């Protein structure tokens, strides 16, 4: 016989929904960091114990929580971000559903210490699994909020065992999520440490914290070596061929709403990475997963570097009316209007960027080879001064003439072999780079000097300086 349809009790509904909001360790940390950013914090300190399985503590210097909001702080669907559904179109905060702290209460033990800017003393709040306050005591604290989460997922036995079994894997995912917020949050210092056992706290990552740019944050999180391997993204309108590929008309292209900024790895081998572990995509500075965009970026990169993946930081700015961020509970999936136009812009821009990068790399490498040849020849010319001193003036002049002629010949040959197209093309003047112009001028100087049967030491110094300059330009 059919069973009677009855409502699920509120506690069970709360637990069922909470498990959908906080999916893993990374989601828990993400929600707490987003709360701090929404509170206007400029300093966020994240402390983990046993990679986050024992406890997670996130402290900030944001505006704090007013006393009249204590009761609603951890209740389901209680928020100050929106009042009705229409507000979602223009929401500018990371959070807007009022689910994060409520879900964490259902999955762990939560304690909050907060001090609003209007008060002088903080308050310590302890919550039960339903988000109700069970303890409220004064507590010294400067302005801001600290949220402590202990024993994450202990109310869901299967997920708790899964977290314990795959701690390092879940921790690595959490670190990658946190890196995205460190990169995009300009002017915010985000510091994360982890403690194992009774040992000291080990730093995990730290962003710069100054009024910094995305580029400076990349350097702070991943190091200067990673930063030096990147090139800025240059946005171009989609080409006719790409528009045809994506079925776009001229009207679609003319009203393109997307502005894309960021950085990617150069395409020369050895600069890329063996996996996609450092690829970060943002929509209006919101970290998200864009599967089609990620696939396209990697496909274009593999056209120029088949065996590696690029480091990627791309922020897509678009009017909020073109975006739907209310797709999944963790807000990582985002729907974009006119997504084909975005992909067409990306494909055209990346292809042109990497085509130009290949040519620039070849030119720079050949200029460095030419500079190295000149240094070897000069060094060879001064290796045996005593031998030259013993020879007669006439033999010295003859040897010098031969050496100078060899120098000019070898450099001219190297230069012409490396640049046959540019020098032979009727449009060579338009394509000649500043570095090539310097080399051409240098060869003319050498030729005129050799015709006068003398080449002062100063010429070598000048030539070396020109090539040094071109080498610096190539870097």
């Amino acid at each position: 016989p059919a069973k009677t349809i009855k409502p699920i009790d509120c506690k069970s509904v709360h637990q069922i929904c909470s498990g959908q909001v906080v999916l893993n360790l990374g989601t828990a940390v993400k929600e707490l960091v987003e709360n701090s950013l929404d509170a206007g914090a400029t300093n966020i300190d994240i402390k983990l114990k046993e990679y986050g399985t024992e406890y997670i503590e996130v402290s900030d210097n944001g505006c704090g929580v007013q006393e009249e909001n204590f009761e609603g702080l951890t209740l389901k669907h209680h928020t100050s971000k929106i009042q009705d559904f229409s507000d979602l179109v223009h929401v500018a905060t990371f959070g807007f559903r009022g689910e994060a702290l409520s879900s964490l209460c259902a999955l762990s033990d939560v304690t909050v210490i907060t001090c609003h800017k209007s008060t002088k003393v903080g308050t310590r709040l302890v919550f039960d699994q339903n988000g109700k306050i069970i303890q409220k005591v004064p507590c010294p604290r400067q302005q801001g909020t600290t949220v402590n989460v202990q024993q994450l997922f202990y109310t869901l036995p299967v997920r708790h065992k899964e977290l314990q079994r795959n701690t390092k894997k879940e921790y690595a995912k959490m670190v990658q999520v946190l890196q995205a917020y460190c990169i995009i949050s300009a002017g915010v210092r985000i510091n994360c440490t982890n403690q194992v056992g009774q040992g000291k706290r080990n730093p995990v990552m730290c962003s710069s914290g100054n009024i910094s740019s995305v580029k400076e944050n990349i350097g702070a999180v991943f190091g200067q070596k990673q930063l030096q391997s990147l090139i800025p993204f240059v946005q171009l309108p989609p080409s006719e061929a790409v528009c045809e590929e994506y079925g776009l008309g001229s009207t679609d292209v003319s009203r393109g709403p997307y502005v894309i900024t960021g950085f990617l790895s150069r395409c020369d081998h050895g600069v890329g990475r063996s996996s996609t572990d450092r690829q970060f995509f943002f929509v209006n500075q919101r970290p998200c997963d864009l599967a089609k965009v990620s696939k396209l970026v990697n496909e274009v990169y593999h056209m120029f570097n088949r065996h590696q993946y690029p480091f990627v930081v791309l922020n897509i700015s678009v009017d909020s009316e073109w975006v739907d961020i209310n797709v999944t509970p963790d807000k990582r999936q985002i729907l974009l209007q006119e997504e084909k136009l975005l992909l067409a812009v990306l494909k055209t821009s990346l292809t042109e960027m990497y085509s130009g990068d290949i040519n620039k790399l070849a030119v720079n490498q050949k200029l460095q080879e030419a500079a190295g040849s000149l240094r070897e020849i000069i060094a060879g010319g001064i290796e045996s001064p005593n031998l030259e001193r013993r020879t007669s003036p006439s033999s010295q002049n003859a040897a010098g003439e031969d050496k100078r002629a060899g120098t000019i010949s070898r450099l001219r040959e190297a230069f012409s072999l490396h640049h046959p197209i540019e020098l032979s093309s009727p449009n060579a003047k338009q394509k000649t780079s500043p570095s090539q112009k310097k080399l051409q001028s240098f060869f003319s100087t050498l030729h005129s000097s050799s015709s006068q049967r003398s080449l002062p030491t100063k010429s070598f110094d000048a030539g070396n300086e020109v090539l040094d300059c071109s080498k610096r330009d190539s870097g």
Side-chain angles (χ1 to χ4, degrees):
K3 294 183 178 180
T4 306
I5 297 176
K6 296 180 180 180
I8 303 174
D9 66 276
C10 294
K11 183 177 180 180
S12 297
V13 170
H14 186 44
Q15 285 185 307
I16 291 169
C17 295
S18 298
Q20 293 178 318
V21 175
V22 180
L23 305 173
N24 48 39
L25 176 65
T27 310
V29 174
K30 159 192 166 308
E31 295 290 351
L32 296 177
V33 169
E34 286 184 345
N35 281 347
S36 296
L37 292 170
D38 288 341
T42 57
N43 193 358
I44 303 173
D45 191 26
I46 305 157
K47 295 179 180 178
L48 308 173
K49 187 166 185 182
E50 301 297 340
Y51 304 99
T53 58
E54 288 294 320
Y55 77 75
I56 306 163
E57 184 178 279
V58 177
S59 301
D60 65 57
N61 64 344
C63 62
V65 182
Q66 290 178 306
E67 187 170 358
E68 55 263 33
N69 291 326
F70 286 171
E71 294 290 339
L73 183 62
T74 54
L75 295 182
K76 203 77 168 178
H77 306 305
H78 283 56
T79 182
S80 61
K81 314 294 175 56
I82 62 172
Q83 297 302 314
D84 56 52
F85 184 76
S86 62
D87 293 341
L88 271 179
V89 177
H90 302 291
V91 68
T93 55
F94 288 107
F96 52 84
R97 293 202 194 101
E99 291 182 315
L101 287 177
S102 174
S103 298
L104 286 171
C105 285
L107 303 173
S108 58
D109 293 329
V110 175
T111 303
V112 176
I113 302 173
T114 186
C115 180
H116 190 259
K117 58 185 179 181
S118 62
T119 61
K120 295 182 179 179
V121 181
T123 305
R124 184 175 184 269
L125 305 170
V126 180
F127 298 89
D128 65 10
Q129 291 183 13
N130 296 315
K132 302 284 183 151
I133 298 174
I134 57 176
Q135 188 181 55
K136 175 183 173 183
V137 294
C139 181
R141 197 204 190 286
Q142 293 182 337
Q143 178 183 320
T145 302
T146 300
V147 180
N148 186 289
V149 175
Q150 296 189 32
Q151 297 296 324
L152 182 64
F153 296 132
Y154 84 93
T155 59
L156 301 177
V158 175
R159 202 177 299 190
H160 187 250
K161 288 180 181 177
E162 191 71 14
L163 176 61
Q164 299 290 336
R165 189 182 300 116
N166 299 306
T167 299
K168 295 290 182 69
K169 184 178 178 181
E170 292 296 319
Y171 173 76
K173 290 180 181 177
M174 181 277 300
V175 168
Q176 190 173 10
V177 169
L178 196 55
Q179 286 170 342
Y181 290 91
C182 289
I183 290 170
I184 203 66
S185 302
V188 181
R189 180 182 178 274
I190 301 177
N191 180 51
C192 180
T193 58
N194 178 53
Q195 182 183 16
V196 178
Q198 298 301 315
K200 65 177 184 179
R201 295 209 152 270
N202 296 313
V204 178
M205 74 183 73
C206 184
S207 59
S208 60
N210 300 320
I211 306 301
S212 54
S213 64
V214 169
K215 186 176 181 181
E216 290 171 337
N217 284 341
I218 292 172
V221 175
F222 299 107
Q224 292 300 312
K225 185 177 180 181
Q226 177 71 80
L227 191 61
Q228 291 167 4
S229 70
L230 305 181
I231 54 176
F233 179 84
V234 179
Q235 183 173 343
L236 297 173
S239 63
E240 291 184 8
V242 173
C243 285
E244 186 176 346
E245 178 184 346
Y246 285 98
L248 298 172
S250 57
T251 54
D252 297 321
V253 176
S254 61
R255 60 189 179 93
Y258 297 107
V259 177
I260 310 169
T261 56
F263 299 89
L264 301 97
S265 298
R266 296 197 312 269
C267 59
D268 40 318
H269 187 75
V271 173
R273 299 187 60 78
S274 59
S275 67
T276 59
D277 62 333
R278 291 187 182 177
Q279 297 190 353
F280 305 94
F281 300 95
F282 308 86
V283 173
N284 294 336
Q285 298 189 322
R286 180 188 296 274
C288 57
D289 300 323
L290 299 174
K292 292 182 181 179
V293 171
S294 175
K295 181 182 178 184
L296 175 66
V297 170
N298 287 303
E299 284 178 350
V300 174
Y301 191 80
H302 285 160
M303 292 166 57
F304 301 91
N305 183 343
R306 292 180 56 191
H307 304 292
Q308 292 185 303
Y309 296 89
F311 176 102
V312 182
V313 172
L314 286 180
N315 180 50
I316 301 164
S317 298
V318 61
D319 192 283
S320 59
E321 294 180 357
W322 290 64
V323 183
D324 185 356
I325 57 178
N326 187 35
V327 180
T328 56
D330 63 353
K331 302 184 282 289
R332 294 286 299 185
Q333 305 297 324
I334 290 181
L335 295 181
L336 296 169
Q337 194 174 341
E338 301 290 350
E339 189 177 39
K340 285 185 178 180
L341 177 58
L342 170 64
L343 297 177
V345 170
L346 278 169
K347 186 167 186 178
T348 301
S349 303
L350 290 170
T351 303
E352 288 297 320
M353 280 173 55
Y354 285 131
S355 297
D357 196 36
I358 286 275
N359 296 334
K360 183 179 178 182
L361 176 67
V363 169
N364 291 342
Q365 185 176 359
K366 289 160 187 173
L367 289 175
Q368 291 178 17
E369 289 173 0
S373 299
L374 178 61
R375 289 196 184 90
E376 289 176 7
I377 294 167
I378 295 172
I382 62 174
E383 273 178 1
S384 52
N386 293 332
L387 182 62
E388 289 182 1
R389 231 180 258 127
R390 295 193 194 104
T391 58
S392 64
S394 59
S395 61
Q396 286 182 7
N397 290 339
E401 288 297 325
D402 291 342
K403 195 169 293 182
R404 284 190 288 272
T407 300
I408 297 170
S409 175
R410 287 168 64 180
L411 282 173
R412 190 182 295 278
E413 181 183 2
F415 182 75
S416 60
L417 283 174
H418 291 324
H419 305 280
I421 297 175
E422 288 87 341
L423 295 177
S424 60
S425 170
N427 297 324
K429 184 173 289 187
Q430 296 177 0
K431 295 183 179 180
T432 303
S433 67
S435 299
Q436 291 173 293
K437 289 179 181 178
K438 291 178 182 177
L439 274 177
Q440 290 172 352
S441 174
F442 173 59
F443 290 134
S444 301
T445 305
L446 283 177
H447 182 70
S448 61
S449 300
S450 63
S451 64
Q452 298 173 4
R453 303 182 62 83
S454 65
L455 186 61
T457 305
K458 188 176 180 180
S459 296
F460 283 106
D461 293 337
N464 204 15
E465 182 181 349
V466 168
L467 288 171
D468 279 342
C469 290
S470 64
K471 184 177 180 182
R472 285 196 297 271
D473 291 341
S474 70

